[in-house]
Amino acid sequence: MAKSVLVVGGGPAGLAAARTLGKLGIPTILVEKEQKLGGRPVIEDYHTLIPRKMTPQQVIGPFIEEVQNNPNIDVKLGVELEACEGEAPNFKVKLSNGEEHEVAAIVVATGFQHFDAKRKGELGYGIYPDVITNLELEQMFSREGKLYRPSNGQLPKRVAFVFCVGSRDRQLGVTNVHCCRYGCALSGLQGTEIREHYPEVDVFCYYMDVRTYGTWEYPFYWAPQEKHGVRYVRGRIAEITYNPQDGRLRVKHEDTIVQRPAEVPMDLVVLVLGMEPSEGTKKVAKILGLAQDPDSQFLVPAEDAGSNIISNKPGVFIAGACKGPIDIESSLSEGEAAGAEAATFIGAKVSA
Amino acid sequence: MAIHERSLVDPERVLRKERLVIDGVDVSGDWNLIILPRVINDYDLEFLDEVLQQPEGKTITQCYQCSYCTASCPVHNYWDERYNPRHFIYLARLGLIDELQKRADVMWRCVSCHKCTHRCPKGVLVEEVLKAILRVMAKRGIIEEYPSKKFDKFFLESVYEYGRIEDGELLFGWVEKQGYQVVKDPILKKPIPFVGGVPDWLKQLAAKPLKSMNIGFLVLNAKHMLFHPRTKNWNRFKQVLRKVMEEEGVFTH
């Protein structure tokens, strides 16, 4: 009987699961669609991760190293899960490179993808170069190390963050009604970074709610306002236009506290994107027959399981952003939990 | 054209002329009505910086609009909807000066009970911050003097002159400052109580305690009204006080 585990996805959750399994001495196959381990944070060059304010290399780097150096883990890059037959603990899986393996358990960590801001046409993304996404702002920090307006390369005088683009929005259908969960905190962090490096730049956050969960409240909501002077305006931006006379954007919104419409000039507008289940998540869900949320298509845990890493199918465990928006810290711990759960499921005896 | 729901439109935004000719076309009458848009075009971000420079204004950035201050405010219930401490803070932070100006006449209504300050979950010293906002507005000349400020000034002048206040003079002197006709005695030029155009409610208010007052105390009060009591060695302290007040910018005269 096969006693190995398949981990689908090489992002934070998948890495953490594989690392735990490898450490327990269980033969593990880690398949990753991209040519690089680390998932979105590494592939898309995030600058600073919430909530510990560390770089992806600092957080995920050690995981990648341990996974690559562990002889129990077989890392397959550029490979996807194509088919799966049989029941636990005898899954027969087929990979895109033609290989077939027998595994006793599967950990699904297929992650998310960023919302496509072009779907919110009124916000002018793709039309005005100075409307960027928070992902692009992260890449601007990490790849170029400076803040500038894409239209003319100069330092913006005012930066506006638009919260909840592609999340909590029924106009996009039922698929995007959930909270993206990281946006408020990340905007606070990005605003703080801007104010720290460029104190002359004014930062505005246009929000409909601020949801900085739990202990994130102080570092990502109060500190930006109290220490760094980030300004929060209640009222979401409805429309972004461009004024050719002064070359600045105009953001149109109603300030719901003052109860007045406003059209304020801005130099750079940052759209805070929501999360959607990745193509891989939808594909794997179909192959393995996992339960999906009827609205958002994210994976959902089994109804009778208290733990949210146990899927509806015995022997299959789900971790990370494939089952809803999640931060990297929790993604790592969920991966570890899923790895440990898979180990106990296959009845591995770990000797000291 | 009639404006439906006129109460929702600020009067200053409605433009209408008796006669109006544009490009030789007479547009008087129904078509001659313009309602100006109420869109905010920009923020005045320097206002917040100025408030932050005031020693009392430092905590303004901590407010996150939970409205505990307004809900516990004893004045808010009895004044019109424009009196709203957390709203003033919000407006000042964004620099929406025209909105602040609309509320200038009610912002002085704070009775300094400090309920807001005691209850604020973020530790904003609401009352102090309001005073800082008002001071910045006064400095910019976008706020007029209001009765309570006039009273404060009169009170301050009295203390500054004598080192203490005298109740009778404060009361009747204030009545005079308010514009009532008061008869003054020819020698000391001080207002004589209850004579002249003193309003009835004030006569009643002042007469009530007089009835039950002991004679000695009454004589003392009368004496004080004629010869104002003065703190010992006040003149020396006055000079120091003057210097400090000039530095702080309290004196405008």
Side-chain angles (χ1 to χ4, degrees):
Chain A
M1 192 182 81
K3 279 281 187 186
S4 60
V5 177
L6 174 72
V7 178
V8 188
L15 284 170
R19 171 175 165 270
T20 304
L21 288 162
K23 274 187 167 178
L24 293 172
I26 296 159
T28 307
I29 305 161
L30 175 62
V31 293
E32 165 59 49
K33 193 164 79 171
E34 309 277 346
Q35 295 298 334
K36 203 172 168 187
L37 287 178
R40 297 290 113 197
V42 172
I43 290 161
E44 297 194 319
D45 282 334
Y46 291 7
H47 183 245
T48 317
L49 304 184
I50 43 174
R52 308 256 171 263
K53 301 187 186 176
M54 283 152 73
T55 62
Q57 282 310 321
Q58 284 172 311
V59 177
I60 302 169
F63 281 83
I64 297 177
E65 209 170 295
E66 277 193 55
V67 165
Q68 280 173 338
N69 295 339
N70 195 316
N72 294 325
I73 304 169
D74 181 8
V75 180
K76 293 180 192 298
L77 295 174
V79 173
E80 287 181 68
L81 177 68
E82 286 296 325
C84 174
E85 283 172 13
E87 295 290 318
N90 294 307
F91 291 111
K92 282 199 181 94
V93 293
K94 197 179 164 202
L95 306 179
S96 59
N97 60 357
E99 288 178 19
E100 284 187 28
H101 293 274
E102 285 197 356
V103 293
I106 300 174
V107 176
V108 176
T110 40
F112 74 101
Q113 67 187 27
H114 297 281
F115 173 77
D116 177 14
K118 286 190 179 128
R119 281 170 68 193
K120 295 294 282 181
E122 66 267 33
L123 297 178
Y125 179 73
I127 303 170
Y128 310 119
D130 290 341
V131 180
I132 62 171
T133 65
N134 60 340
L135 177 64
E136 285 168 356
L137 187 66
E138 283 285 298
Q139 291 169 351
M140 201 185 267
F141 287 155
S142 60
R143 289 179 186 167
E144 288 154 83
K146 62 172 183 155
L147 179 74
Y148 64 93
R149 294 175 68 185
S151 63
N152 59 6
Q154 288 171 354
L155 184 72
K157 284 196 201 76
R158 287 182 184 180
V159 181
F161 284 89
V162 190
F163 284 34
C164 303
V165 176
S167 18
R168 308 178 70 202
D169 190 344
R170 290 188 185 184
Q171 288 302 321
L172 295 165
V174 289
T175 51
N176 291 66
V177 291
H178 53 277
C179 166
C180 78
R181 195 155 139 167
Y182 77 100
C184 299
L186 181 67
S187 306
L189 176 62
Q190 288 179 333
T192 304
E193 282 177 342
I194 292 175
R195 292 283 296 172
E196 271 179 349
H197 291 95
Y198 308 98
E200 69 273 26
V201 177
D202 286 305
V203 180
F204 297 83
C205 289
Y206 292 89
Y207 66 95
M208 39 189 200
D209 253 350
V210 177
R211 295 181 166 184
T212 43
Y213 296 80
T215 51
W216 295 6
E217 183 89 351
Y218 184 77
F220 302 117
Y221 183 35
W222 295 1
Q225 286 188 73
E226 292 174 19
K227 279 196 197 159
H228 304 285
V230 175
R231 296 164 205 256
Y232 280 73
V233 186
R234 187 159 174 275
R236 208 173 153 198
I237 290 170
E239 210 166 64
I240 295 173
T241 52
Y242 176 75
N243 188 340
Q245 276 166 356
D246 57 1
R248 300 176 93 181
L249 299 168
R250 290 285 184 286
V251 300
K252 197 173 165 193
H253 66 282
E254 192 208 337
D255 192 318
T256 54
I257 292 176
V258 191
Q259 295 191 353
R260 266 183 78 168
E263 234 180 285
V264 179
M266 286 287 160
D267 298 308
L268 187 70
V269 177
V270 182
L271 309 180
V272 181
L273 300 180
M275 284 189 192
E276 286 178 341
S278 67
E279 290 305 318
T281 299
K282 291 178 196 164
K283 190 177 159 190
V284 168
K286 215 170 270 173
I287 293 168
L288 295 175
L290 299 177
Q292 280 172 290
D293 185 60
D295 295 341
S296 64
Q297 302 295 312
F298 280 115
L299 305 184
V300 287
E303 278 173 15
D304 54 353
S307 164
N308 67 347
I309 56 160
I310 295 170
S311 80
N312 61 321
K313 208 166 172 199
V316 180
F317 304 94
I318 51 179
C322 64
K323 48 179 196 32
I326 191 170
D327 57 297
I328 285 152
E329 196 183 43
S330 312
S331 232
L332 290 169
S333 57
E334 272 185 12
E336 282 162 356
E341 197 65 35
T344 53
F345 179 79
I346 63 173
K349 296 258 187 311
V350 182
S351 51
Chain B
M1 235 182 308
I3 304 174
H4 299 285
E5 297 292 348
R6 180 149 201 141
S7 61
L8 300 178
V9 183
D10 302 330
E12 67 266 19
R13 289 197 294 116
V14 180
L15 292 185
R16 185 173 222 161
K17 287 187 176 162
E18 278 303 303
R19 279 189 63 77
L20 187 67
V21 180
I22 300 174
D23 291 345
V25 180
D26 191 341
V27 288
S28 311
D30 270 2
W31 298 103
N32 171 22
L33 174 79
I34 297 163
I35 300 177
L36 296 175
R38 61 191 292 269
V39 174
I40 297 163
N41 285 317
D42 207 351
Y43 305 127
D44 184 342
L45 299 177
E46 278 162 28
F47 192 87
L48 177 66
D49 298 337
E50 280 175 47
V51 174
L52 284 171
Q53 278 163 21
Q54 308 285 325
E56 310 99 313
K58 296 276 181 242
T59 52
I60 188 171
T61 52
Q62 294 174 21
C63 173
Y64 64 170
Q65 298 291 317
C66 70
S67 197
Y68 211 170
C69 52
T70 307
S72 43
C73 179
V75 180
H76 175 66
N77 297 344
Y78 296 102
W79 201 243
D80 74 12
E81 60 188 24
R82 289 175 304 149
Y83 188 86
N84 192 337
R86 61 122 190 119
H87 201 172
F88 302 148
I89 290 177
Y90 187 85
L91 296 172
R93 279 177 64 168
L94 274 185
L96 300 173
I97 305 295
D98 56 338
E99 288 285 337
L100 275 176
Q101 221 166 345
K102 271 189 210 163
R103 293 160 175 78
D105 57 329
V106 291
M107 285 177 76
W108 292 103
R109 299 283 162 169
C110 170
V111 292
S112 300
C113 71
H114 287 266
K115 261 190 184 177
C116 47
T117 305
H118 281 289
R119 291 182 179 173
C120 177
K122 290 289 301 288
V124 179
L125 305 174
V126 183
E127 188 264 351
E128 288 193 0
V129 168
L130 278 197
K131 295 285 151 70
I133 294 171
L134 283 167
R135 189 184 290 182
V136 173
M137 288 173 76
K139 261 189 191 167
R140 288 193 171 197
I142 54 175
I143 196 163
E144 286 174 35
E145 283 207 342
Y146 289 95
S148 71
K149 199 185 172 193
K150 283 186 201 157
F151 180 81
D152 288 351
K153 213 169 164 183
F154 183 63
F155 188 98
L156 183 74
E157 274 166 11
S158 187
V159 174
Y160 176 70
E161 195 55 39
Y162 303 106
R164 55 191 287 186
I165 57 158
E166 201 281 309
D167 299 342
E169 189 178 304
L170 191 72
L171 189 60
F172 291 101
W174 171 237
V175 167
E176 188 195 353
K177 291 260 173 188
Q178 287 282 61
Y180 291 106
Q181 283 290 324
V182 178
V183 175
K184 290 183 181 178
D185 69 292
I187 304 153
L188 289 167
K189 306 280 181 202
K190 290 200 168 171
I192 303 173
F194 306 111
V195 185
V198 177
D200 279 338
W201 62 265
L202 184 59
K203 283 183 186 168
Q204 280 174 20
L205 192 75
K208 221 174 178 181
L210 280 182
K211 277 179 192 163
S212 50
M213 209 179 266
N214 136 350
I215 280 289
F217 193 61
L218 200 64
V219 171
L220 184 75
N221 262 327
K223 195 182 101 191
H224 279 177
M225 271 207 79
L226 287 174
F227 306 101
H228 202 298
R230 182 186 283 263
T231 303
K232 262 185 200 168
N233 289 330
W234 180 248
N235 269 334
R236 281 177 63 200
F237 190 74
K238 195 171 158 183
Q239 287 165 10
V240 179
L241 190 65
R242 169 147 209 119
K243 207 177 164 191
V244 172
M245 286 162 95
E246 269 170 2
E247 276 174 13
E248 296 265 320
V250 179
F251 278 133
T252 48
H253 50 81

